[in-house]
Amino acid sequence: MGDLAGDLTLQDLDGQTHRLRDLRGKRVVHLVFWATWCVPCIQEIPTLRDIYTRYHDRGLEILGVAASLDETPEGVRSLARDLKINYPVLWDEGSAAMKSYRVDYIPQNFLIGRDGIIRYTGVGLPSDYETLVEKLLQDGGATEASAR
């Protein structure tokens, strides 16, 4: 936390490329590493869907990075469709992004300000998640929250 977020370039399940650096200066980003077999990951999805619906037009981007551990793109696509995930789901082939971000546990959440600085990291959503998102959208990223 407090460091510049490392760049990621991953494709979503439709083959569209997403680059984290392209969002710097433009959007607050919630990056979440998850897997289809991870119960806490699945439990976060309704909250993420709701927050994405309410705040995407105000400058929030959520990127769900699907771990390729015992997964297939088809399995992830099927679950994403069943759970009505409305934000981009990226495929982390070979777990390169997980390694880059030193993700040992999932779900692993990173809230990144418009300035590209990581403002929250934790294995779950912070208890004041919506408040933190609103603050980051208002001030452009100068808010830090401790991992809970």
Side-chain angles (χ1 to χ4, degrees), residues 10-37:
L10 296 170
Q11 288 190 342
D12 64 23
L13 297 174
D14 296 322
Q16 181 180 351
T17 299
H18 296 261
R19 289 179 190 83
L20 195 55
R21 72 172 175 253
D22 292 346
L23 300 173
R24 191 170 298 148
K26 301 173 188 166
R27 315 238 344 134
V28 171
V29 178
H30 180 152
L31 188 65
V32 56
F33 290 85
W34 70 287
T36 61
W37 44 262

PDB file of all heavy atoms in Angstrom, residues 10-37:
ATOM      1  N   LEU A  10      -3.696  -7.581 -19.654  1.00  0.00           N
ATOM      2  CA  LEU A  10      -4.382  -8.869 -19.722  1.00  0.00           C
ATOM      3  C   LEU A  10      -5.580  -8.755 -20.648  1.00  0.00           C
ATOM      4  O   LEU A  10      -6.134  -7.672 -20.829  1.00  0.00           O
ATOM      5  CB  LEU A  10      -4.871  -9.294 -18.331  1.00  0.00           C
ATOM      6  CG  LEU A  10      -3.808  -9.566 -17.272  1.00  0.00           C
ATOM      7  CD1 LEU A  10      -4.466  -9.739 -15.905  1.00  0.00           C
ATOM      8  CD2 LEU A  10      -2.991 -10.787 -17.629  1.00  0.00           C
ATOM      9  N   GLN A  11      -5.975  -9.900 -21.188  1.00  0.00           N
ATOM     10  CA  GLN A  11      -7.175  -9.928 -22.024  1.00  0.00           C
ATOM     11  C   GLN A  11      -8.362 -10.377 -21.193  1.00  0.00           C
ATOM     12  O   GLN A  11      -8.234 -11.223 -20.308  1.00  0.00           O
ATOM     13  CB  GLN A  11      -6.989 -10.872 -23.202  1.00  0.00           C
ATOM     14  CG  GLN A  11      -6.041 -10.331 -24.241  1.00  0.00           C
ATOM     15  CD  GLN A  11      -6.050 -11.163 -25.508  1.00  0.00           C
ATOM     16  OE1 GLN A  11      -6.490 -12.299 -25.525  1.00  0.00           O
ATOM     17  NE2 GLN A  11      -5.546 -10.580 -26.578  1.00  0.00           N
ATOM     18  N   ASP A  12      -9.525  -9.799 -21.524  1.00  0.00           N
ATOM     19  CA  ASP A  12     -10.737 -10.263 -20.871  1.00  0.00           C
ATOM     20  C   ASP A  12     -11.227 -11.529 -21.572  1.00  0.00           C
ATOM     21  O   ASP A  12     -10.596 -12.017 -22.515  1.00  0.00           O
ATOM     22  CB  ASP A  12     -11.803  -9.161 -20.803  1.00  0.00           C
ATOM     23  CG  ASP A  12     -12.319  -8.703 -22.157  1.00  0.00           C
ATOM     24  OD1 ASP A  12     -12.231  -9.461 -23.157  1.00  0.00           O
ATOM     25  OD2 ASP A  12     -12.830  -7.571 -22.225  1.00  0.00           O
ATOM     26  N   LEU A  13     -12.332 -12.053 -21.111  1.00  0.00           N
ATOM     27  CA  LEU A  13     -12.837 -13.322 -21.642  1.00  0.00           C
ATOM     28  C   LEU A  13     -13.359 -13.204 -23.066  1.00  0.00           C
ATOM     29  O   LEU A  13     -13.628 -14.211 -23.717  1.00  0.00           O
ATOM     30  CB  LEU A  13     -13.920 -13.869 -20.714  1.00  0.00           C
ATOM     31  CG  LEU A  13     -13.429 -14.208 -19.301  1.00  0.00           C
ATOM     32  CD1 LEU A  13     -14.605 -14.592 -18.406  1.00  0.00           C
ATOM     33  CD2 LEU A  13     -12.376 -15.304 -19.332  1.00  0.00           C
ATOM     34  N   ASP A  14     -13.494 -11.968 -23.567  1.00  0.00           N
ATOM     35  CA  ASP A  14     -13.904 -11.745 -24.952  1.00  0.00           C
ATOM     36  C   ASP A  14     -12.722 -11.407 -25.857  1.00  0.00           C
ATOM     37  O   ASP A  14     -12.909 -11.059 -27.019  1.00  0.00           O
ATOM     38  CB  ASP A  14     -14.945 -10.623 -25.017  1.00  0.00           C
ATOM     39  CG  ASP A  14     -16.227 -10.989 -24.289  1.00  0.00           C
ATOM     40  OD1 ASP A  14     -16.638 -12.169 -24.361  1.00  0.00           O
ATOM     41  OD2 ASP A  14     -16.810 -10.110 -23.635  1.00  0.00           O
ATOM     42  N   GLY A  15     -11.513 -11.459 -25.298  1.00  0.00           N
ATOM     43  CA  GLY A  15     -10.319 -11.189 -26.089  1.00  0.00           C
ATOM     44  C   GLY A  15      -9.903  -9.735 -26.160  1.00  0.00           C
ATOM     45  O   GLY A  15      -8.933  -9.394 -26.827  1.00  0.00           O
ATOM     46  N   GLN A  16     -10.597  -8.841 -25.459  1.00  0.00           N
ATOM     47  CA  GLN A  16     -10.241  -7.420 -25.445  1.00  0.00           C
ATOM     48  C   GLN A  16      -9.098  -7.202 -24.452  1.00  0.00           C
ATOM     49  O   GLN A  16      -9.126  -7.702 -23.334  1.00  0.00           O
ATOM     50  CB  GLN A  16     -11.440  -6.564 -25.063  1.00  0.00           C
ATOM     51  CG  GLN A  16     -11.141  -5.083 -25.052  1.00  0.00           C
ATOM     52  CD  GLN A  16     -12.358  -4.248 -24.673  1.00  0.00           C
ATOM     53  OE1 GLN A  16     -13.476  -4.738 -24.577  1.00  0.00           O
ATOM     54  NE2 GLN A  16     -12.131  -2.976 -24.446  1.00  0.00           N
ATOM     55  N   THR A  17      -8.095  -6.432 -24.871  1.00  0.00           N
ATOM     56  CA  THR A  17      -6.944  -6.158 -24.024  1.00  0.00           C
ATOM     57  C   THR A  17      -7.225  -4.995 -23.081  1.00  0.00           C
ATOM     58  O   THR A  17      -7.784  -3.978 -23.484  1.00  0.00           O
ATOM     59  CB  THR A  17      -5.709  -5.843 -24.892  1.00  0.00           C
ATOM     60  OG1 THR A  17      -5.429  -6.996 -25.715  1.00  0.00           O
ATOM     61  CG2 THR A  17      -4.491  -5.520 -24.055  1.00  0.00           C
ATOM     62  N   HIS A  18      -6.822  -5.173 -21.825  1.00  0.00           N
ATOM     63  CA  HIS A  18      -6.950  -4.139 -20.792  1.00  0.00           C
ATOM     64  C   HIS A  18      -5.566  -3.868 -20.237  1.00  0.00           C
ATOM     65  O   HIS A  18      -4.858  -4.804 -19.856  1.00  0.00           O
ATOM     66  CB  HIS A  18      -7.880  -4.597 -19.660  1.00  0.00           C
ATOM     67  CG  HIS A  18      -9.280  -4.823 -20.102  1.00  0.00           C
ATOM     68  ND1 HIS A  18     -10.272  -3.898 -19.909  1.00  0.00           N
ATOM     69  CD2 HIS A  18      -9.860  -5.871 -20.742  1.00  0.00           C
ATOM     70  CE1 HIS A  18     -11.406  -4.362 -20.400  1.00  0.00           C
ATOM     71  NE2 HIS A  18     -11.183  -5.559 -20.910  1.00  0.00           N
ATOM     72  N   ARG A  19      -5.187  -2.588 -20.188  1.00  0.00           N
ATOM     73  CA  ARG A  19      -3.897  -2.179 -19.639  1.00  0.00           C
ATOM     74  C   ARG A  19      -4.143  -1.258 -18.455  1.00  0.00           C
ATOM     75  O   ARG A  19      -4.798  -0.222 -18.606  1.00  0.00           O
ATOM     76  CB  ARG A  19      -3.070  -1.441 -20.687  1.00  0.00           C
ATOM     77  CG  ARG A  19      -2.560  -2.324 -21.779  1.00  0.00           C
ATOM     78  CD  ARG A  19      -1.762  -1.530 -22.823  1.00  0.00           C
ATOM     79  NE  ARG A  19      -1.484  -2.363 -23.972  1.00  0.00           N
ATOM     80  CZ  ARG A  19      -2.329  -2.585 -24.977  1.00  0.00           C
ATOM     81  NH1 ARG A  19      -3.515  -2.007 -24.979  1.00  0.00           N
ATOM     82  NH2 ARG A  19      -2.001  -3.377 -25.966  1.00  0.00           N
ATOM     83  N   LEU A  20      -3.601  -1.625 -17.320  1.00  0.00           N
ATOM     84  CA  LEU A  20      -3.794  -0.815 -16.123  1.00  0.00           C
ATOM     85  C   LEU A  20      -3.253   0.590 -16.326  1.00  0.00           C
ATOM     86  O   LEU A  20      -3.871   1.566 -15.919  1.00  0.00           O
ATOM     87  CB  LEU A  20      -3.130  -1.504 -14.926  1.00  0.00           C
ATOM     88  CG  LEU A  20      -3.523  -1.001 -13.553  1.00  0.00           C
ATOM     89  CD1 LEU A  20      -5.029  -1.028 -13.338  1.00  0.00           C
ATOM     90  CD2 LEU A  20      -2.828  -1.830 -12.486  1.00  0.00           C
ATOM     91  N   ARG A  21      -2.125   0.715 -17.000  1.00  0.00           N
ATOM     92  CA  ARG A  21      -1.522   2.047 -17.193  1.00  0.00           C
ATOM     93  C   ARG A  21      -2.425   2.973 -18.006  1.00  0.00           C
ATOM     94  O   ARG A  21      -2.356   4.188 -17.857  1.00  0.00           O
ATOM     95  CB  ARG A  21      -0.147   1.930 -17.845  1.00  0.00           C
ATOM     96  CG  ARG A  21      -0.190   1.550 -19.303  1.00  0.00           C
ATOM     97  CD  ARG A  21       1.184   1.625 -19.957  1.00  0.00           C
ATOM     98  NE  ARG A  21       1.103   1.143 -21.315  1.00  0.00           N
ATOM     99  CZ  ARG A  21       1.572  -0.017 -21.733  1.00  0.00           C
ATOM    100  NH1 ARG A  21       2.186  -0.819 -20.901  1.00  0.00           N
ATOM    101  NH2 ARG A  21       1.435  -0.373 -22.989  1.00  0.00           N
ATOM    102  N   ASP A  22      -3.288   2.417 -18.846  1.00  0.00           N
ATOM    103  CA  ASP A  22      -4.200   3.245 -19.638  1.00  0.00           C
ATOM    104  C   ASP A  22      -5.264   3.921 -18.770  1.00  0.00           C
ATOM    105  O   ASP A  22      -5.888   4.892 -19.204  1.00  0.00           O
ATOM    106  CB  ASP A  22      -4.897   2.411 -20.723  1.00  0.00           C
ATOM    107  CG  ASP A  22      -3.935   1.942 -21.801  1.00  0.00           C
ATOM    108  OD1 ASP A  22      -2.798   2.452 -21.875  1.00  0.00           O
ATOM    109  OD2 ASP A  22      -4.323   1.038 -22.576  1.00  0.00           O
ATOM    110  N   LEU A  23      -5.474   3.414 -17.561  1.00  0.00           N
ATOM    111  CA  LEU A  23      -6.492   3.969 -16.668  1.00  0.00           C
ATOM    112  C   LEU A  23      -5.922   5.024 -15.725  1.00  0.00           C
ATOM    113  O   LEU A  23      -6.676   5.787 -15.122  1.00  0.00           O
ATOM    114  CB  LEU A  23      -7.142   2.845 -15.857  1.00  0.00           C
ATOM    115  CG  LEU A  23      -7.839   1.765 -16.697  1.00  0.00           C
ATOM    116  CD1 LEU A  23      -8.305   0.625 -15.817  1.00  0.00           C
ATOM    117  CD2 LEU A  23      -8.991   2.348 -17.483  1.00  0.00           C
ATOM    118  N   ARG A  24      -4.587   5.062 -15.611  1.00  0.00           N
ATOM    119  CA  ARG A  24      -3.946   6.011 -14.696  1.00  0.00           C
ATOM    120  C   ARG A  24      -4.279   7.440 -15.105  1.00  0.00           C
ATOM    121  O   ARG A  24      -4.215   7.802 -16.271  1.00  0.00           O
ATOM    122  CB  ARG A  24      -2.431   5.798 -14.686  1.00  0.00           C
ATOM    123  CG  ARG A  24      -1.761   6.571 -13.557  1.00  0.00           C
ATOM    124  CD  ARG A  24      -0.321   6.206 -13.383  1.00  0.00           C
ATOM    125  NE  ARG A  24      -0.206   4.792 -13.026  1.00  0.00           N
ATOM    126  CZ  ARG A  24       0.814   4.027 -13.371  1.00  0.00           C
ATOM    127  NH1 ARG A  24       1.810   4.509 -14.070  1.00  0.00           N
ATOM    128  NH2 ARG A  24       0.841   2.769 -13.018  1.00  0.00           N
ATOM    129  N   GLY A  25      -4.653   8.229 -14.131  1.00  0.00           N
ATOM    130  CA  GLY A  25      -5.030   9.618 -14.372  1.00  0.00           C
ATOM    131  C   GLY A  25      -6.477   9.777 -14.801  1.00  0.00           C
ATOM    132  O   GLY A  25      -6.979  10.897 -14.893  1.00  0.00           O
ATOM    133  N   LYS A  26      -7.159   8.661 -15.066  1.00  0.00           N
ATOM    134  CA  LYS A  26      -8.532   8.715 -15.568  1.00  0.00           C
ATOM    135  C   LYS A  26      -9.549   8.079 -14.631  1.00  0.00           C
ATOM    136  O   LYS A  26     -10.674   8.552 -14.529  1.00  0.00           O
ATOM    137  CB  LYS A  26      -8.618   8.003 -16.919  1.00  0.00           C
ATOM    138  CG  LYS A  26      -7.715   8.596 -17.979  1.00  0.00           C
ATOM    139  CD  LYS A  26      -7.728   7.736 -19.226  1.00  0.00           C
ATOM    140  CE  LYS A  26      -6.676   8.229 -20.208  1.00  0.00           C
ATOM    141  NZ  LYS A  26      -6.419   7.275 -21.265  1.00  0.00           N
ATOM    142  N   ARG A  27      -9.187   6.940 -14.005  1.00  0.00           N
ATOM    143  CA  ARG A  27     -10.158   6.159 -13.249  1.00  0.00           C
ATOM    144  C   ARG A  27      -9.563   5.687 -11.926  1.00  0.00           C
ATOM    145  O   ARG A  27      -8.370   5.465 -11.817  1.00  0.00           O
ATOM    146  CB  ARG A  27     -10.603   4.924 -14.028  1.00  0.00           C
ATOM    147  CG  ARG A  27     -10.908   5.216 -15.460  1.00  0.00           C
ATOM    148  CD  ARG A  27     -12.164   4.982 -16.108  1.00  0.00           C
ATOM    149  NE  ARG A  27     -13.244   4.192 -15.679  1.00  0.00           N
ATOM    150  CZ  ARG A  27     -14.486   4.654 -15.738  1.00  0.00           C
ATOM    151  NH1 ARG A  27     -14.735   5.880 -16.120  1.00  0.00           N
ATOM    152  NH2 ARG A  27     -15.491   3.895 -15.400  1.00  0.00           N
ATOM    153  N   VAL A  28     -10.427   5.516 -10.948  1.00  0.00           N
ATOM    154  CA  VAL A  28     -10.102   4.772  -9.739  1.00  0.00           C
ATOM    155  C   VAL A  28     -10.308   3.306 -10.120  1.00  0.00           C
ATOM    156  O   VAL A  28     -11.297   2.972 -10.768  1.00  0.00           O
ATOM    157  CB  VAL A  28     -11.026   5.173  -8.573  1.00  0.00           C
ATOM    158  CG1 VAL A  28     -10.845   4.239  -7.382  1.00  0.00           C
ATOM    159  CG2 VAL A  28     -10.786   6.622  -8.185  1.00  0.00           C
ATOM    160  N   VAL A  29      -9.384   2.457  -9.746  1.00  0.00           N
ATOM    161  CA  VAL A  29      -9.452   1.048 -10.164  1.00  0.00           C
ATOM    162  C   VAL A  29      -9.527   0.136  -8.946  1.00  0.00           C
ATOM    163  O   VAL A  29      -8.750   0.286  -7.996  1.00  0.00           O
ATOM    164  CB  VAL A  29      -8.217   0.664 -11.016  1.00  0.00           C
ATOM    165  CG1 VAL A  29      -8.263  -0.814 -11.396  1.00  0.00           C
ATOM    166  CG2 VAL A  29      -8.132   1.533 -12.266  1.00  0.00           C
ATOM    167  N   HIS A  30     -10.459  -0.784  -8.993  1.00  0.00           N
ATOM    168  CA  HIS A  30     -10.507  -1.875  -8.023  1.00  0.00           C
ATOM    169  C   HIS A  30     -10.070  -3.121  -8.781  1.00  0.00           C
ATOM    170  O   HIS A  30     -10.752  -3.567  -9.692  1.00  0.00           O
ATOM    171  CB  HIS A  30     -11.917  -2.061  -7.468  1.00  0.00           C
ATOM    172  CG  HIS A  30     -12.000  -3.166  -6.464  1.00  0.00           C
ATOM    173  ND1 HIS A  30     -12.916  -3.174  -5.469  1.00  0.00           N
ATOM    174  CD2 HIS A  30     -11.264  -4.300  -6.287  1.00  0.00           C
ATOM    175  CE1 HIS A  30     -12.758  -4.263  -4.730  1.00  0.00           C
ATOM    176  NE2 HIS A  30     -11.762  -4.959  -5.215  1.00  0.00           N
ATOM    177  N   LEU A  31      -8.932  -3.635  -8.399  1.00  0.00           N
ATOM    178  CA  LEU A  31      -8.370  -4.846  -8.996  1.00  0.00           C
ATOM    179  C   LEU A  31      -8.598  -5.972  -8.000  1.00  0.00           C
ATOM    180  O   LEU A  31      -8.193  -5.873  -6.844  1.00  0.00           O
ATOM    181  CB  LEU A  31      -6.875  -4.607  -9.233  1.00  0.00           C
ATOM    182  CG  LEU A  31      -6.069  -5.619 -10.017  1.00  0.00           C
ATOM    183  CD1 LEU A  31      -6.554  -5.690 -11.461  1.00  0.00           C
ATOM    184  CD2 LEU A  31      -4.594  -5.212  -9.985  1.00  0.00           C
ATOM    185  N   VAL A  32      -9.294  -7.024  -8.421  1.00  0.00           N
ATOM    186  CA  VAL A  32      -9.562  -8.140  -7.518  1.00  0.00           C
ATOM    187  C   VAL A  32      -9.127  -9.438  -8.183  1.00  0.00           C
ATOM    188  O   VAL A  32      -9.514  -9.747  -9.305  1.00  0.00           O
ATOM    189  CB  VAL A  32     -11.039  -8.201  -7.069  1.00  0.00           C
ATOM    190  CG1 VAL A  32     -12.000  -8.277  -8.253  1.00  0.00           C
ATOM    191  CG2 VAL A  32     -11.278  -9.351  -6.092  1.00  0.00           C
ATOM    192  N   PHE A  33      -8.273 -10.174  -7.488  1.00  0.00           N
ATOM    193  CA  PHE A  33      -7.841 -11.499  -7.931  1.00  0.00           C
ATOM    194  C   PHE A  33      -8.777 -12.511  -7.289  1.00  0.00           C
ATOM    195  O   PHE A  33      -9.007 -12.475  -6.073  1.00  0.00           O
ATOM    196  CB  PHE A  33      -6.396 -11.757  -7.489  1.00  0.00           C
ATOM    197  CG  PHE A  33      -5.390 -10.913  -8.225  1.00  0.00           C
ATOM    198  CD1 PHE A  33      -5.096  -9.628  -7.794  1.00  0.00           C
ATOM    199  CD2 PHE A  33      -4.750 -11.402  -9.355  1.00  0.00           C
ATOM    200  CE1 PHE A  33      -4.175  -8.838  -8.465  1.00  0.00           C
ATOM    201  CE2 PHE A  33      -3.818 -10.612 -10.036  1.00  0.00           C
ATOM    202  CZ  PHE A  33      -3.537  -9.332  -9.596  1.00  0.00           C
ATOM    203  N   TRP A  34      -9.299 -13.436  -8.103  1.00  0.00           N
ATOM    204  CA  TRP A  34     -10.304 -14.371  -7.618  1.00  0.00           C
ATOM    205  C   TRP A  34     -10.259 -15.666  -8.407  1.00  0.00           C
ATOM    206  O   TRP A  34      -9.540 -15.775  -9.397  1.00  0.00           O
ATOM    207  CB  TRP A  34     -11.692 -13.734  -7.704  1.00  0.00           C
ATOM    208  CG  TRP A  34     -12.188 -13.557  -9.126  1.00  0.00           C
ATOM    209  CD1 TRP A  34     -11.742 -12.648 -10.035  1.00  0.00           C
ATOM    210  CD2 TRP A  34     -13.179 -14.328  -9.784  1.00  0.00           C
ATOM    211  NE1 TRP A  34     -12.414 -12.794 -11.227  1.00  0.00           N
ATOM    212  CE2 TRP A  34     -13.301 -13.831 -11.100  1.00  0.00           C
ATOM    213  CE3 TRP A  34     -13.980 -15.394  -9.394  1.00  0.00           C
ATOM    214  CZ2 TRP A  34     -14.198 -14.367 -12.032  1.00  0.00           C
ATOM    215  CZ3 TRP A  34     -14.875 -15.915 -10.323  1.00  0.00           C
ATOM    216  CH2 TRP A  34     -14.979 -15.396 -11.618  1.00  0.00           C
ATOM    217  N   ALA A  35     -11.041 -16.654  -7.954  1.00  0.00           N
ATOM    218  CA  ALA A  35     -11.166 -17.937  -8.652  1.00  0.00           C
ATOM    219  C   ALA A  35     -12.589 -18.458  -8.467  1.00  0.00           C
ATOM    220  O   ALA A  35     -13.262 -18.122  -7.490  1.00  0.00           O
ATOM    221  CB  ALA A  35     -10.160 -18.944  -8.098  1.00  0.00           C
ATOM    222  N   THR A  36     -13.008 -19.297  -9.383  1.00  0.00           N
ATOM    223  CA  THR A  36     -14.381 -19.814  -9.355  1.00  0.00           C
ATOM    224  C   THR A  36     -14.634 -20.728  -8.166  1.00  0.00           C
ATOM    225  O   THR A  36     -15.768 -20.847  -7.713  1.00  0.00           O
ATOM    226  CB  THR A  36     -14.713 -20.590 -10.648  1.00  0.00           C
ATOM    227  OG1 THR A  36     -13.824 -21.706 -10.757  1.00  0.00           O
ATOM    228  CG2 THR A  36     -14.604 -19.710 -11.868  1.00  0.00           C
ATOM    229  N   TRP A  37     -13.606 -21.377  -7.650  1.00  0.00           N
ATOM    230  CA  TRP A  37     -13.751 -22.320  -6.543  1.00  0.00           C
ATOM    231  C   TRP A  37     -13.585 -21.664  -5.169  1.00  0.00           C
ATOM    232  O   TRP A  37     -13.685 -22.317  -4.145  1.00  0.00           O
ATOM    233  CB  TRP A  37     -12.749 -23.469  -6.681  1.00  0.00           C
ATOM    234  CG  TRP A  37     -11.370 -23.014  -7.053  1.00  0.00           C
ATOM    235  CD1 TRP A  37     -10.825 -23.006  -8.308  1.00  0.00           C
ATOM    236  CD2 TRP A  37     -10.364 -22.475  -6.190  1.00  0.00           C
ATOM    237  NE1 TRP A  37      -9.541 -22.501  -8.276  1.00  0.00           N
ATOM    238  CE2 TRP A  37      -9.233 -22.168  -6.981  1.00  0.00           C
ATOM    239  CE3 TRP A  37     -10.307 -22.219  -4.827  1.00  0.00           C
ATOM    240  CZ2 TRP A  37      -8.073 -21.618  -6.454  1.00  0.00           C
ATOM    241  CZ3 TRP A  37      -9.148 -21.675  -4.299  1.00  0.00           C
ATOM    242  CH2 TRP A  37      -8.044 -21.390  -5.107  1.00  0.00           C
TER     243      TRP A  37
END
